Amino acid sequence: MAEHGIVIKGGWVIDGTGRDRYRADVAIDDDRIAAIGDLADATADTVIDASGRVVAPGFIDVHTHDDRMLRDASDMTPKVSQGVTTVVAGNCGISLAPFVATERPMEPLDLVGDTSAYRYPTFAAFVDELTRQQPSTNAALLVGHGTLRVSTMDDTQRPATDDEIEVMRGKVGEAMDSGAVGLSTGLEYPPARMSETQEIIRLAEVAGEKGGIYATHMRNYAADARSSMDEAMQIGREARLPVIVSHFHCHTDDNPGICSEALDWYEAAREEQDVIVDAYPYEASSTSILPEFVMKRTKALVTWSKPHPEMNGKYLHEIAEEWDTDVIDAAKRLAPGGAIYFGRDEENVKRLMTHQGVIIGSDGIPMNPHPHPRLWGTFPRVLGHYARDLDLMTMEDAIHRMTGLSAERFGLADRGSVAKGAYADLVVFDPAAIADTATFMEPEQPAAGIDHVFVNGVPVWQAGRHTGAGPGRIVGRRQA
Ligand code: ZN
Ligand code: CU
């Protein structure tokens, strides 16, 4: 009988800690890394030649909206094809549970699914169903404040009452006890806009008491970004839990200087408390079509529209022209729907991608007729475009902020590193070839240069194809 299940031979190990690569063979037994070193004499059921390749921890996508994909398209191809082995879902205040929808859910809950998608009276019921679906990646789950409000309040366009806050605190507790890793908010969005800071503190307290984190899509990323950040920090301090500021971009059309200032505020906040930010490597964002977003942002590409699906993939200003109207009116007619908003500063994207305190999260929105290319391309784009081609950082540094640092922040024990005894979540890629191929016009393209992806020791992607395996687990703070 062979000594090991799998041995990956002759690769360069980039271990996720940030330290320099080194030559080593890596052995996998069952779901764990069994040995690292010179394993020339070891026997294995499967030997993989990784000469000239990098062997790294599977990437952790810390900001996703993959909740429904985990359940309904559980092969997770947009993710595993780029080397992602764990996703954090439930961001921006949007989680599929706990909520039983009886009519189409309000924006932006509809980004993740429509009425039938929201069918979980408890968070535990959702976790059970995901476990049954056997997704191809691991998942860490956040419970969303927008979902909590919609499922608790008869009218979300006002602050919650004390009674409603108590009910929501109970739901946060149930979610945490069922395996959630924390609470997320989307304070710029309709379900949460009218919530007061105290309401969020009271909910975040429950997550904090149970070892969770607070991830926030802030009230504003433009002119009011400063006060929004102050609010996020206050919530972290008063509820006593770590803060993650989501998709830390700023919208420059309001105030061009604000982007570099925002990084300064972040630097200062880091000195005082436990906070980290995530970002993705593109100059355009993507979210619901909301007239107020159109006013703030410049060019927009329509990705889906419920009333006008024929407009998917067209620019908003072209649609407005075609309809002989202005962009605001066109946006109103296209809603509910989604759009990609251009108008970020490339210099700021570079600053974010190279910053030591920025972890990588795609913010991709799957199961969308015309998704933002970040859904398929985020991680290879950071490594191929920003690290290799532009040479702005080492791959070691970039990988640390996609794996080791991310796992530490989300409390994912024994993940995010190539270490003996760690879970065998691994990606084998060609450092000369790794690249994103998804574009704004052709967004659904698997990355180049990804040779093998393993999740819990099981191959999920090899030679450009999905293996069909579904070894993913719900991971997080409850895991031993
Ligand atoms: Zn968001
Ligand atoms: Cu998001």
Side-chain angles (χ1 to χ4, degrees):
M1 211 183 102
E3 269 170 87
H4 294 297
I6 299 169
V7 173
I8 304 167
K9 280 203 167 145
W12 290 97
V13 173
I14 295 182
D15 70 2
T17 63
R19 76 158 159 151
D20 288 347
R21 67 191 72 184
Y22 62 96
R23 283 292 284 273
D25 308 322
V26 177
I28 301 172
D29 287 349
D30 303 318
D31 62 351
R32 304 271 184 163
I33 295 171
I36 303 170
D38 181 354
L39 306 173
D41 300 329
T43 57
D45 297 326
T46 306
V47 175
I48 289 168
D49 175 13
S51 37
R53 301 297 195 259
V54 166
V55 181
F59 308 135
I60 298 171
D61 190 346
V62 296
H63 189 107
T64 83
H65 295 283
D66 292 345
D67 311 56
R68 189 161 63 98
M69 180 160 68
L70 285 160
R71 182 188 75 195
D72 295 348
S74 59
D75 54 278
M76 302 291 286
T77 298
K79 297 302 164 89
V80 299
S81 62
Q82 57 176 311
V84 169
T85 57
T86 298
V87 300
V88 179
N91 276 285
C92 299
I94 313 163
S95 59
L96 282 185
F99 179 34
V100 180
T102 50
E103 56 188 39
R104 189 179 172 82
M106 70 191 294
E107 289 172 315
L109 268 61
D110 62 349
L111 286 178
V112 172
D114 60 16
T115 321
S116 65
Y118 290 87
R119 53 183 189 233
Y120 305 101
T122 61
F123 208 83
F126 177 53
V127 170
D128 285 349
E129 183 159 5
L130 282 194
T131 306
R132 277 196 301 277
Q133 291 305 322
Q134 300 188 306
S136 292
T137 66
N138 301 310
L141 306 172
L142 296 161
V143 60
H145 174 235
T147 299
L148 292 170
R149 286 190 123 235
V150 168
S151 72
T152 305
M153 300 170 65
D154 56 353
D155 171 15
T156 55
Q157 301 311 301
R158 57 170 174 76
T161 64
D162 284 343
D163 288 351
E164 288 162 341
I165 291 172
E166 273 317 306
V167 173
M168 290 194 278
R169 279 170 60 91
K171 291 178 180 178
V172 174
E174 190 272 330
M176 295 300 297
D177 291 341
S178 307
V181 296
L183 172 73
S184 79
T185 56
L187 303 177
E188 192 177 19
Y189 288 118
R193 258 178 212 160
M194 300 307 290
S195 60
E196 288 166 349
T197 307
Q198 281 307 318
E199 166 185 332
I200 305 157
I201 291 170
R202 307 255 347 256
L203 303 188
E205 271 169 6
V206 181
E209 278 160 17
K210 293 175 183 284
I213 52 107
Y214 173 61
T216 181
H217 173 142
M218 303 190 298
R219 288 196 201 263
N220 186 279
Y221 286 81
D224 296 329
R226 179 68 216 236
S227 59
S228 299
M229 244 188 111
D230 288 346
E231 181 188 37
M233 297 308 126
Q234 181 194 351
I235 292 164
R237 281 193 311 274
E238 292 188 19
R240 292 182 301 280
L241 81 178
V243 177
I244 297 177
V245 180
S246 300
H247 39 63
F248 195 67
H249 291 273
C250 54
H251 299 295
T252 47
D253 41 352
D254 302 66
N255 175 357
I258 211 163
C259 291
S260 46
E261 279 175 46
L263 272 175
D264 294 343
W265 308 332
Y266 171 45
E267 289 290 349
R270 282 176 92 197
E271 305 278 311
E272 306 292 322
Q273 69 189 89
D274 193 347
V275 54
I276 201 155
V277 306
D278 66 66
Y280 55 83
Y282 292 88
E283 289 164 74
S285 61
S286 171
T287 185
S288 305
I289 299 180
L290 289 171
E292 57 270 41
F293 286 1
V294 171
M295 271 185 268
K296 275 191 258 174
R297 292 158 197 179
T298 43
K299 208 166 94 179
L301 180 70
V302 173
T303 59
W304 62 279
S305 164
K306 182 103 177 162
H308 294 284
E310 73 281 7
M311 294 304 175
N312 297 348
K314 286 194 182 179
Y315 285 100
L316 184 64
H317 64 270
E318 291 169 356
I319 298 168
E321 226 164 83
E322 206 176 308
W323 287 347
D324 201 17
T325 183
D326 59 42
V327 288
I328 308 287
D329 179 59
K332 283 183 188 151
R333 288 205 229 163
L334 288 160
I340 292 167
Y341 297 91
F342 294 87
R344 284 183 173 155
D345 172 15
E346 170 65 3
E347 285 312 307
N348 191 53
V349 178
K350 288 179 186 167
R351 273 196 295 272
L352 287 166
M353 290 301 113
T354 55
H355 194 285
Q356 293 304 302
V358 175
I359 54 178
I360 309 300
S362 69
D363 201 14
I365 302 166
M367 311 184 83
N368 184 311
H370 189 104
H372 187 297
R374 65 194 181 186
L375 178 66
W376 289 74
T378 288
F379 293 84
R381 183 168 172 79
V382 173
L383 293 171
H385 181 62
Y386 289 99
R388 182 192 58 227
D389 296 348
L390 299 183
D391 199 19
L392 298 178
M393 59 194 150
T394 62
M395 285 201 184
E396 283 83 345
D397 170 26
I399 287 172
H400 173 55
R401 295 183 289 107
M402 301 173 168
T403 61
L405 187 57
S406 314
E408 180 200 312
R409 283 314 165 115
F410 281 87
L412 310 181
D414 294 335
R415 301 200 187 263
S417 68
V418 182
K420 188 172 174 202
Y423 288 101
D425 292 345
L426 295 167
V427 55
V428 179
F429 70 86
D430 181 347
I434 192 168
D436 57 306
T437 63
T439 63
F440 285 103
M441 294 320 283
E442 297 280 338
E444 295 182 292
Q445 311 282 347
I450 306 288
D451 296 319
H452 299 271
V453 182
F454 301 88
V455 173
N456 296 312
V458 178
V460 293
W461 185 262
Q462 56 195 13
R465 303 220 340 241
H466 201 293
T467 64
R473 299 175 191 168
I474 305 302
V475 299
R477 36 171 291 285
R478 284 174 62 82
Q479 198 180 0

